[in-house]
Amino acid sequence: MGLKYFFIIVQNASLLITFALLYNYLWVKNPQKNKFVFKIISGIIIGLLSVLIMSFPAIFFKGIIFDTRSVILAISGLFFGFIPTFIATLLALAYRIYLGGAGIYMGIAVILTSPLIGLYWHYFRKHWSSKNFILELLLLAVIVHTLMFGYTLLLPKDKIISTIEILWLNLLFVYIPATVLLGWFMLNQEFAFKNIQADKRFIETQKRFITILQKLKLSTVILDKNFEIYFNNKTFNEILNLNDEQIQKKKFNELFSDTNNKPLSELRLRELLLLPNFETIYISKQHNEIHLYWTVVQLYDLNGDIEGYALIGENITERLLYEKELQIARNKAEESDRLKTSFLSNISHEIRTPLNSIIGFSDLLIEKEDDDEKIEFLSIIKYSSNKLLDIVNDVIDISRLETGQMKITREYFDIGEFISFVFKIYESDKVLLSKNNLAIKLDLPDYLKGQKLYSDKTRIQQILNNLINNAIKYTDKGEIELSLELSRINGTDMLVFKVKDTGRGIPDNMLNIIFDRFRQVEENDYRTGTGLGLSICKGIVELLGGQIWVESTVGLGSIFYFSIPYIQKEENYNDFIIENVDEDLKLYNKTIVIAEDDPNSFYYLNKLLSKNDLKIYRAVNGKEVLEIIKNQKVDLILMDLSMPQMSGLECTKIIRETDKEIKIIAQTAYASLNDRDRAIDSGCDEFISKPINKLELYKKINALFQNKILIE
Ligand code: ADP
């Protein structure tokens, strides 16, 4: 029986191996395995295999056959589940019944219980394959075959002992090991397949991940643990303007600087990589700074040691720039706010001081009888009023400059005569004379004497007034020198005016700032002035096409320079001759209407015009003007623009509908260029702003009635 039995074992073993291989191809790798039809097919195949196994049995006694059906059916239950195992069991059962013999009951019992035990494991010990699977398989095999051993009791009594004698060795050395081996082999096939699948999935995921990283609009680099770059995406290359060769194998710290602009050391990088985020700077070939803000992901190997770093970087260069600009704008706004507040408190002081004298001395004047004192008080009032007017004019000028409304009127004038005229005014300046040790001198080079300049004389005088007044104000002793020279600056001939003093000087850090509006050296101390003068000078000089600058040494003095293009418009000389207009009023026997709602302003104008047999009428609004001119022949109207009921503009328009002859001079306390244009547009011949200067009024009236053009 020995050799024969060996062959049977080999036969059974090869059938079991076939089964195991079938399992791999028909089941493990089959994507259809969960379909119902395929489960039936699988059941039939396993059933037929069981039948085949039963066809090559070890025949112990006639009708008592042993084979490995218990193994295959138990393993079927364990791996295939209910439907295939149920069908296989039916087929095996049918065949065993067909075979008949003395071992039929034992055979049926084995066919019924072996798959049930396998199914129990399949459904109720699902995790058998995740750990200790050999033990689990052994337990299953032992239970299946212990039962089988027990089923020998179902054999005819006389065969029990002799069967047991043969069977126990087979159970121990064939059935149980075969079950475990077959289960182990099949499980390994499952594992191998799952590993391949996992590998595939891993490669697929990795590919997808790399594609995502490549397409990411954020810079991405992956470093090994020595900080060498072995992956970089396109965005990173584009931002740094480098190609792969220039990046890969380089250490990350070799490309970047720290935020303090020092090269990034390996030590520092090691520290930074421990943080969730950090910032680096890249200096481009064009020497521009590129700021990258990195998010760090540490990569670990299976042992939990750091294997490398994935870095995702956002280019924050523009954002930083924007933030910087925002900060500057904010600082500027805050400073401007601070300056405005300081200006307001300062201007309040500046306005109240002269007002104090005006009101105070006016009161005294009313009480005084002494003529000498009256004259002194009056001169103080006049001086203070002029100071007040200067402030108002400065405020108007700065707003005109800022809104682009400053008007420049160029004319042709003699440089020498002009500068000497300005100098003469200051020779007798009260403030200068009050400083005993201070003198003023003029240095006019011979080559400029008799030369003409085409520019705005009034505005240049305004700049000089500002500079000389400052020089006098900030100098206690020594000399103020007014001079001018011709100089070629950037290829253009320029006339450079110079106001030099020996005063207290200006600190270096304030040299540019003092030309900004409201800015003064003594911003934190006691100060006088509004801080507007130099910024007005700068605005005007620039409008005239020149520049203004200062050199100064604290304690020794300052030199203010400004340049004006040296234009000599010879050919148009005649166009710009100022008509010689008389300064005293040359209007006789005419009728004038003074349209003025404010009684004091009327009183003042009435005083100025009560001469030369002029007939004066007063109107307090436009309607009254119309009323008067309906009844008399009127030659001139001094038209206040803002009056109740009917404004000066409205009234002028109505008059001009029928009367083009009557002369109208608009007068207003607003002095913007708009007002002037609006007045002229509605039909006024001239415009004069309040406070009205006597000479200016006379000149304007004379020019109108003598049909002369007055150039301002
Ligand atoms: P302010 O009305 O205050 O004089 P400015 O704009 O004319 O306004 O001058 C600005 C500031 O510049 C002054 O407050 C003063 O601090 C400084 N400054 C101007 N001229 C001189 C000068 N000749 N010497 C010293 N400091 C001067």
Side-chain angles (χ1 to χ4, degrees):
M1 151 132 208
L3 195 61
K4 190 179 165 214
Y5 191 67
F6 172 73
F7 279 122
I8 288 168
I9 289 182
V10 170
Q11 264 171 357
N12 268 260
S14 46
L15 283 171
L16 289 178
I17 289 169
T18 313
F19 177 66
L21 291 175
L22 274 176
Y23 174 69
N24 194 23
Y25 290 103
L26 288 178
W27 199 259
V28 173
K29 292 183 180 168
N30 189 350
Q32 317 275 333
K33 64 183 171 201
N34 287 325
K35 284 197 172 151
F36 184 68
V37 182
F38 198 78
K39 284 184 179 175
I40 292 177
I41 295 171
S42 304
I44 294 171
I45 292 173
I46 302 164
L48 290 178
L49 212 63
S50 311
V51 170
L52 209 60
I53 283 172
M54 281 189 276
S55 308
F56 300 99
I59 303 169
F60 286 11
F61 304 99
K62 191 168 172 2
I64 301 174
I65 53 171
F66 285 94
D67 49 59
T68 50
R69 86 190 77 141
S70 59
V71 175
I72 204 161
L73 289 173
I75 291 292
S76 168
L78 179 64
F79 283 91
F80 290 84
F82 179 72
I83 297 173
T85 308
F86 179 69
I87 292 168
T89 308
L90 280 185
L91 284 173
L93 208 57
Y95 185 64
R96 183 64 193 89
I97 293 169
Y98 161 76
L99 287 179
I104 188 165
Y105 297 113
M106 180 182 176
I108 289 172
V110 169
I111 289 172
L112 287 176
T113 52
S114 304
L116 276 178
I117 295 162
L119 284 172
Y120 173 78
W121 247 261
H122 183 89
Y123 290 108
F124 300 107
R125 293 179 76 88
K126 275 188 182 157
H127 301 299
W128 69 271
S129 57
S130 50
K131 61 176 185 183
N132 299 332
F133 53 87
I134 296 279
L135 269 180
E136 291 281 336
L137 283 169
L138 193 63
L139 188 65
L140 176 127
V142 168
I143 294 175
V144 167
H145 294 101
T146 311
L147 281 174
M148 185 177 167
F149 192 72
Y151 293 152
T152 48
L153 296 174
L154 298 173
L155 291 175
K157 284 207 176 93
D158 55 331
K159 300 284 188 293
I160 293 177
I161 299 295
S162 45
T163 304
I164 286 175
E165 276 173 8
I166 308 170
L167 194 59
W168 76 268
L169 269 176
N170 279 303
L171 282 182
L172 221 55
F173 295 108
V174 179
Y175 288 89
I176 291 176
T179 312
V180 173
L181 271 175
L182 184 63
W184 175 79
F185 187 50
M186 284 167 66
L187 196 62
N188 267 338
Q189 278 171 330
E190 245 179 51
F191 283 161
F193 181 71
K194 276 186 186 155
N195 279 346
I196 292 170
Q197 292 291 91
D199 278 355
K200 264 192 195 159
R201 266 204 302 274
F202 178 69
I203 291 169
E204 207 49 47
T205 322
Q206 213 171 21
K207 264 193 204 157
R208 257 184 244 154
F209 179 62
I210 300 264
T211 319
I212 293 170
L213 290 185
Q214 280 297 5
K215 297 212 164 140
L216 210 62
K217 283 288 159 227
L218 295 168
S219 294
T220 310
V221 283
I222 302 181
L223 319 179
D224 65 13
K225 62 175 176 218
N226 299 318
F227 314 135
E228 229 171 60
I229 300 173
Y230 69 86
F231 173 83
N232 49 291
N233 72 349
K234 270 193 214 133
T235 314
F236 182 73
N237 293 25
E238 280 163 14
I239 288 178
L240 268 54
N241 197 14
L242 296 175
N243 57 33
D244 282 346
E245 277 102 76
Q246 293 165 309
I247 295 170
Q248 283 180 2
K249 298 274 172 236
K250 270 244 167 83
K251 289 202 169 187
F252 183 83
N253 52 297
E254 290 168 3
L255 291 174
F256 293 98
S257 307
D258 211 343
T259 37
N260 53 16
N261 258 329
K262 290 198 181 118
L264 192 60
S265 70
E266 238 177 90
L267 204 71
R268 175 81 181 126
L269 179 61
R270 198 176 294 280
E271 284 170 8
L272 292 175
L273 286 169
L274 294 175
L275 306 171
N277 302 96
F278 66 91
E279 192 186 320
T280 59
I281 298 173
Y282 177 75
I283 309 285
S284 75
K285 286 169 200 153
Q286 294 77 33
H287 304 288
N288 293 328
E289 282 186 5
I290 298 167
H291 291 253
L292 289 168
Y293 184 72
W294 298 99
T295 300
V296 186
V297 181
Q298 284 153 354
L299 307 174
Y300 294 94
D301 63 12
L302 291 177
N303 301 324
D305 297 327
I306 285 193
E307 183 180 42
Y309 306 88
L311 301 179
I312 298 179
E314 189 191 347
N315 185 354
I316 55 167
T317 317
E318 272 182 26
R319 197 180 81 198
L320 287 181
L321 224 73
Y322 177 70
E323 279 172 8
K324 216 176 190 174
E325 277 169 16
L326 218 64
Q327 188 58 43
I328 292 172
R330 195 195 146 131
N331 288 349
K332 236 181 172 172
E334 278 173 4
E335 175 168 293
S336 159
D337 196 42
R338 185 179 61 75
L339 286 172
K340 253 182 215 152
T341 314
S342 130
F343 169 75
L344 283 178
S345 70
N346 197 27
I347 203 164
S348 151
H349 165 259
E350 288 301 300
I351 291 176
R352 278 165 195 277
T353 311
L355 268 179
N356 184 41
S357 311
I358 295 168
I359 296 166
F361 283 105
S362 303
D363 283 345
L364 288 178
L365 205 60
I366 294 164
E367 294 156 13
K368 274 287 161 203
E369 264 140 41
D370 181 339
D371 264 1
D372 281 351
E373 260 193 333
K374 264 188 183 169
I375 288 167
E376 195 193 336
F377 292 173
L378 277 171
S379 74
I380 294 171
I381 290 173
K382 193 162 179 222
Y383 173 81
S384 301
S385 306
N386 281 332
K387 274 250 175 255
L388 211 52
L389 187 59
D390 284 348
I391 294 168
V392 174
N393 280 339
D394 274 1
V395 173
I396 289 168
D397 275 352
I398 201 82
S399 77
R400 276 180 179 171
L401 279 166
E402 282 182 5
T403 52
Q405 292 192 38
M406 173 68 82
K407 202 173 160 192
I408 294 296
T409 313
R410 291 188 171 84
E411 61 185 287
Y412 200 72
F413 62 90
D414 185 302
I415 299 167
E417 277 175 17
F418 165 72
I419 200 78
S420 307
F421 168 74
V422 176
F423 176 70
K424 265 208 185 99
I425 297 175
Y426 281 97
E427 261 189 331
S428 52
D429 181 80
K430 268 191 179 165
V431 186
L432 181 90
L433 294 177
S434 72
K435 297 191 176 187
N436 289 334
N437 298 320
L438 190 61
I440 187 161
K441 85 170 206 201
L442 170 68
D443 181 11
L444 171 68
D446 285 343
Y447 64 82
L448 282 175
K449 285 181 186 152
Q451 293 299 320
K452 302 272 191 296
L453 177 72
Y454 179 65
S455 194
D456 190 326
K457 188 167 91 168
T458 318
R459 294 292 173 205
I460 295 177
Q461 187 177 346
Q462 188 179 350
I463 302 165
L464 283 170
N465 286 347
N466 254 305
L467 298 183
I468 301 170
N469 283 335
N470 276 350
I472 296 172
K473 185 163 150 190
Y474 297 108
T475 310
D476 289 331
K477 59 175 192 290
E479 193 175 60
I480 291 161
E481 185 186 309
L482 172 62
S483 65
L484 65 177
E485 63 185 19
L486 212 52
S487 178
R488 209 166 165 76
I489 301 174
N490 295 332
T492 313
D493 285 333
M494 305 292 274
L495 191 61
V496 178
F497 292 80
K498 201 159 114 178
V499 178
K500 183 176 170 197
D501 67 51
T502 51
R504 59 147 208 216
I506 299 160
D508 279 355
N509 63 338
M510 294 301 286
L511 286 181
N512 288 324
I513 291 171
I514 50 166
F515 292 103
D516 292 344
R517 58 190 184 144
F518 311 141
R519 299 306 299 259
Q520 295 175 304
V521 173
E522 46 290 279
E523 264 159 23
N524 302 318
D525 313 327
Y526 168 79
R527 63 220 146 117
T528 57
T530 55
L532 288 179
L534 288 179
S535 63
I536 292 171
C537 290
K538 185 168 190 263
I540 296 174
V541 168
E542 284 169 2
L543 269 183
L544 292 174
Q547 276 183 321
I548 187 164
W549 67 100
V550 62
E551 287 167 6
S552 186
T553 312
V554 174
L556 291 180
S558 316
I559 312 172
F560 281 85
Y561 301 87
F562 69 93
S563 60
I564 300 290
Y566 187 55
I567 303 171
Q568 292 185 293
K569 216 175 169 219
E570 206 85 71
E571 67 273 20
N572 288 334
Y573 183 80
N574 289 328
D575 292 355
F576 292 94
I577 301 171
I578 306 173
E579 298 258 13
N580 196 7
V581 182
D582 290 310
E583 290 191 348
D584 199 3
L585 188 60
K586 292 285 185 280
L587 192 68
Y588 304 93
N589 294 320
K590 299 279 183 204
T591 308
I592 301 175
V593 176
I594 300 174
E596 177 58 75
D597 57 329
D598 174 47
N600 290 338
S601 301
F602 168 75
Y603 183 55
Y604 173 59
L605 281 174
N606 190 34
K607 273 260 167 267
L608 296 184
L609 298 173
S610 293
K611 57 203 282 186
N612 302 352
D613 294 326
L614 295 170
K615 207 166 175 192
I616 310 281
Y617 286 92
R618 182 181 176 201
V620 294
N621 58 44
K623 280 190 180 154
E624 284 191 18
V625 176
L626 295 179
E627 206 49 46
I628 296 169
I629 60 171
K630 223 189 320 173
N631 304 323
Q632 356 266 328
K633 185 188 169 310
V634 172
D635 302 288
L636 170 67
I637 306 170
L638 290 176
M639 184 81 83
D640 185 18
L641 290 185
S642 57
M643 288 183 296
Q645 291 185 50
M646 184 188 279
S647 76
L649 288 180
E650 225 179 315
C651 176
T652 308
K653 276 185 203 152
I654 296 171
I655 296 171
R656 284 298 178 230
E657 281 170 15
T658 51
D659 192 337
K660 309 268 182 238
E661 285 302 302
I662 194 164
K663 308 268 190 248
I664 305 176
I665 299 180
Q667 38 135 349
T668 175
Y670 304 114
S672 88
L673 280 184
N674 264 352
D675 276 329
R676 179 188 204 98
D677 291 346
R678 272 168 48 217
I680 303 292
D681 285 351
S682 43
C684 295
D685 302 286
E686 251 303 353
F687 178 97
I688 190 162
S689 54
K690 290 176 185 172
I692 292 171
N693 175 288
K694 182 174 83 176
L695 287 184
E696 196 187 348
L697 179 71
Y698 287 175
K699 270 189 187 178
K700 286 194 168 164
I701 294 175
N702 291 345
L704 260 185
F705 282 89
Q706 292 160 18
N707 282 331
K708 288 182 177 174
I709 301 161
L710 199 77
I711 309 268
E712 285 180 84

